[in-house]
Amino acid sequence: MRVWVIVAMLGCRQTTTCMDLVERRAWAEAAATCEAELALTWNLEAGVQALRANVYLGTHDGVDRIAPALLGGPRDADARTWLGVAARARRRCGRARAQLEQALAAHERLGAHAAVARDAHQLAGIDFELGAYARAGALIARSREAAQRAGDLAMLVYAGVAEADLLCAVGDHHAAQRALDAVIPLIAPGGDRVVPRLKQAVLFIDEDHPELARLPLEQALHEELAARSPRPSLLVAIYFNLAYVARRAGALGVALARLEDARALEGSGFAYHLNRGQVLEDLGDLAAAEAELARAADAAPEAQWAMWVPYRRAIIAARRGDREAAMRFDREAIDRVADLARGSGSLGPTLIATHREPHLHLIGLLADHERWRDALAVVARLDAQALLASSEGSRELAPGQPAPPSSCDEAMATTPRASEEPDVGGIVAAWRSRRLVVLVPGGARLWRLDVHRGTVTGADVGDAEALAGLARTLASRPDDAAAAAVLEAAFVPRDLAPDERLHVLAIGAVARAPLAALRSTATLVRVPGVRPRASASTVAGTPIVIGDPRGDLPASAEEARRVAARLGVSPHVGGAASRGLVRGAGRASLLHVAARTTMPLDGAALELADGPLAAAELATLPSAPRVVVLASCGAATGRDDAGNGSMVAAFLDAGTEVVVGTRWSVPDDDAATAIEAFYAAGGATDQVGALQRARDVLASKVSARTWASLEITVARPAPSLNEP
């Protein structure tokens, strides 16, 4: 359970009885005293603080009673801010948005940067709850910028926590942790540490380490209960998360008790029913669990939680043997994930990749009954880029566009749009001239779908958790022959010819396995998805080689010179290795990049002479080089295990046919040796074959971690003009 924090609107400017109470955060006494002071002295600051105190206490009728006295006057914008915050707390999102947008516009005209930061923060919270993550992200950035201009460290902390919350919601936990780490040092001594502690606990839970969440949750609970006026919304969030931690530890009685603590403060809303349903499911009372989940569905969940009700109902239906109901609930959950992704802009692919649970459950049900084509259709629904680029359009709202429905309840209860079913016939036809295998967990098993010569077959290749563990082992120790043998048997069909190329789409933890380490005699290459893509340009001009853009990687400069000499072109080193050069390389037959890759909060970026070039920007270029060799560490590393947000994915999205990149960091000397061996084996013209030949040479020259890190990812095929 996440919470979007209500933060203070104004600094303390007077020293009065009202303000003394506010500074001591004695909100109950402050509400009455400040309202009385407003009536007696017409002290407008006391009126604003009375609004603030009533919001913190949850006495929203008091806000409605006091605000009219301030509207139309010098503190009109501040009154509208608190009216908006109170309306939001009552889930009246249309009214909340209208008041906050008026307040934001007025505060911007006044140059009141601290107030702008808080208005934008609250508006971001509304969009976050509605699932419009791209718009929420833009408002968070606006809030952070205003807080920086105001020098408001407290608001910078809240903006950072909000950013961490957003990144956590889409599943980018590493970026969320970096965002949180960046703001914790800004908290003043004696400042509010409850919210960062809660957010750290949520991160631990989302990363599947609930045992680590217990301490920060207990610390947050102790500190909030010790406050003079504990904030009910924070206590509720803490109790829900403590209930989850207890449930995961098997302490189901404790979990139920914590849920009742939350209900005593908030009542029995969506989160209560969802969490209680899961505890009852663990207790084996499936009928009671189903009843709780039905109540959760009726309670209109926030968009980020909407998928969990049908997904949990699918699991219960499957346990009761009702396969058709289970599949129906899974499909509803999948539609909710897709609907949420459409409002998430560039974060949409990561959101889908980290919310696969209903897809994988449905695949398991279908595969159990050998419905291979139907299982392939569900895999295609995971092809996030194709989904987001489809004719269904995006639900993302830019500032100034019409707002979502006027009621939060109405917006959350809306039935998700059913996405159009993937064209499995078109997918199979597109892959007719290539052989594709999809490794995907479904239920407790790992399934291999084999798309070959116009047919789709499948096989159960083993225990999903055990194979995922072997994939992690092979990623850390690529020379582990035992792990490689088991994984090769799972990945490679027995009837694959020695000279046949196998295109591999591995989904989930098993994707960690480096294909080179499988030691297969066949040629294995990765693909980013199964859906056909638009035909790529056939233009292929002069190769472009860049290296050492910042002047801090002398080995990269030497590498660029060697590669350029081999290709018969001049290298672009240092200041010549610019953003414009890479952006304009769309007609190049080959682009070789020997530069540093960084991973800021919004995805990977190439560090070039005149600044970083983000993966998100690269992905939208109108054309791309036919072949890209990324001689930079972790080029395939993205926001999730599907590689979304990586440099490899960006070039493929822009239209590149073949990308050579590393899956993890390797020593500079070893990397240079590997690149030299790749080009010596014919990498300029036959990338797949050259890499295969180069590995044989490299096995005796560099560590296994080096030669196993180099992989080729090829673009999906174009649509077939002659479907079966």
Side-chain angles (χ1 to χ4, degrees), residues 172 178 546 549-550 553 577-579 582 593-619 630-639 643-651:
D172 193 349
R178 292 198 300 273
I546 70 172
R550 298 294 184 88
L553 298 171
S578 66
R579 285 169 41 86
V582 177
V593 180
R596 199 184 304 277
T597 299
T598 58
M599 183 61 74
L601 295 178
D602 55 353
L606 281 176
E607 294 296 327
L608 299 170
D610 52 350
L613 182 57
E617 184 178 353
L618 272 174
L630 294 170
S632 57
C633 291
T637 302
R639 287 188 295 258
N644 292 308
S646 71
M647 300 311 301
V648 168
F651 277 108

Side-chain angles (χ1 to χ4, degrees), residues 303 305-314 326-340 351 355-359 361-362 381 416-417:
W305 303 109
M307 66 155 273
W308 291 104
V309 174
Y311 171 58
R312 298 309 307 185
R313 296 180 86 174
M327 290 194 292
R328 183 175 69 252
F329 284 129
D330 275 332
R331 292 186 188 281
E332 179 186 343
I334 289 169
D335 285 338
R336 290 196 178 275
V337 173
D339 219 24
L340 187 57
L351 187 142
H355 291 70
R356 299 188 187 110
E357 289 89 347
H359 304 76
H361 188 252
L362 179 56
R381 294 287 298 272
R417 289 182 294 166

Side-chain angles (χ1 to χ4, degrees), residues 110-363:
L110 293 169
H113 300 305
V116 168
R118 288 154 176 75
D119 294 336
H121 180 273
Q122 287 294 325
L123 284 165
I126 294 173
D127 283 317
F128 180 81
E129 292 167 9
L130 293 173
Y133 287 167
R135 181 180 172 111
L139 284 163
I140 291 169
R142 197 171 174 185
S143 174
R144 181 171 52 246
E145 179 184 357
Q148 288 172 337
R149 296 180 70 178
D152 188 337
L153 293 181
M155 194 60 234
L156 279 172
V157 171
Y158 287 119
V161 170
E163 183 173 44
D165 217 16
L166 177 61
L167 290 164
C168 196
V170 301
D172 193 349
H173 302 132
H174 294 302
Q177 186 66 66
R178 292 198 300 273
L180 196 59
D181 290 343
V183 299
I184 286 176
L186 301 179
I187 302 174
D192 183 3
R193 293 185 177 271
V194 172
V195 174
R197 290 192 199 281
L198 173 59
K199 175 45 55 193
Q200 181 64 74
V202 170
L203 271 172
F204 284 144
I205 288 171
D206 281 0
E207 292 177 319
D208 202 28
H209 297 299
E211 70 283 356
L212 299 180
R214 184 187 305 277
L215 179 59
L217 285 172
E218 291 176 345
Q219 290 173 330
L221 179 63
H222 174 77
E223 291 173 16
E224 191 62 23
L225 288 174
R228 184 155 186 171
S229 297
R231 293 162 286 186
S233 61
L234 285 178
L235 289 173
V236 167
I238 293 168
Y239 284 134
F240 277 134
N241 281 284
L242 281 170
Y244 178 85
V245 169
R247 173 179 159 255
R248 287 292 302 273
L252 301 182
V254 174
L256 289 173
R258 295 292 78 77
L259 291 176
E260 293 309 310
D261 290 335
R263 187 168 73 96
L265 291 167
E266 185 184 57
S268 53
F270 163 76
Y272 172 79
H273 292 302
L274 174 64
N275 283 281
R276 194 165 189 274
Q278 292 182 81
V279 176
L280 292 171
E281 180 188 339
D282 289 350
L283 286 168
D285 192 344
L286 300 185
E290 170 62 30
E292 288 292 344
L293 292 173
R295 295 184 189 102
D298 291 341
E302 294 176 5
Q304 63 167 317
W305 303 109
M307 66 155 273
W308 291 104
V309 174
Y311 171 58
R312 298 309 307 185
R313 296 180 86 174
I315 292 175
I316 290 174
R319 289 182 62 181
R320 298 175 69 173
D322 191 345
R323 186 167 57 90
E324 293 303 318
M327 290 194 292
R328 183 175 69 252
F329 284 129
D330 275 332
R331 292 186 188 281
E332 179 186 343
I334 289 169
D335 285 338
R336 290 196 178 275
V337 173
D339 219 24
L340 187 57
R342 292 188 190 96
S344 302
S346 62
L347 296 174
T350 289
L351 187 142
I352 290 178
T354 55
H355 291 70
R356 299 188 187 110
E357 289 89 347
H359 304 76
L360 302 185
H361 188 252
L362 179 56
I363 287 170

